[in-house]
Amino acid sequence: MGRIDERLAELSITLTDPPPPAGAYVPAIIDGDHVLTSGQLPFVDGQLPVTGQVGSEVDPEQAKEAARLCAINALAAIRAAIGDLDRVEQVVKVVGFVSSAPDFTGQPGVVNGASELLGEVFGAAGEHARSAVGVAALPLGTPVEVEVTVRTRD
C-alpha cells in the first residue's frame, strides 16, 4: 500500500472505479506529465446524494460535501489513468462549477469541499490554483461539478 493509499485509509476514504462516461468523453486523460479529469459529479454508488440549486434547494454545507465527493471521484479517475496516486507530484488546478440560485454568491465556500479534501490527502502537494464558477444548471441536476488537473512523476 502506497503513502497516498494509507492516507486515504486514515481518512476513511475508499476509491471505487470511476463511473462510466455519460457521453462522448473519458474520465481522465494523460497529457505529458499532467492528468486532466473530466468534470466529476458527486456520485455515491451510482447515485447523486443531492440535486438542485445551491442557495434554494440545496444548503451550502450539503453542496460543500458534494464537492468533496467530486474530488474523491476525481482521485479515482486519476488513479485509473496512472495506476498509483503516489505518482501525483502536485495538484495544479481545480475548477468547480456550482449550480447557483440567482442570489447565491458563496461558490468559493462550496468548492472548498474539494480543495480541502485534496489538501488533506496530499498535504502541501495538494495546494492548487482554482476557479469557483456559478452556473444556472449542471448535468442531472447536480449542485456541483469539479475538474482536477495534477502533475505526475515517473
Side-chain angles (χ1 to χ4, degrees), residues 54-122:
V54 183
S56 56
E57 299 104 337
V58 178
D59 177 86
E61 283 303 312
Q62 288 177 298
K64 182 177 179 181
E65 177 58 27
R68 179 181 175 88
L69 293 170
C70 291
I72 291 169
N73 291 338
L75 292 178
I78 293 165
R79 184 181 70 183
I82 63 173
D84 183 358
L85 289 176
D86 281 342
R87 291 186 55 208
V88 172
E89 185 175 73
Q90 182 71 50
V91 177
V92 177
K93 177 83 180 207
V94 171
V95 179
F97 301 95
V98 181
S99 178
S100 303
D103 59 345
F104 181 73
T105 60
Q107 293 84 4
V110 169
V111 181
N112 278 348
S115 294
E116 291 169 2
L117 179 276
L118 295 168
E120 291 172 28
V121 171
F122 293 107

Side-chain angles (χ1 to χ4, degrees), residues 35-55:
V35 178
L36 297 85
T37 73
S38 294
Q40 299 294 313
L41 304 186
F43 284 117
V44 176
D45 297 325
Q47 301 293 317
L48 291 173
V50 64
T51 59
Q53 285 191 318
V54 183

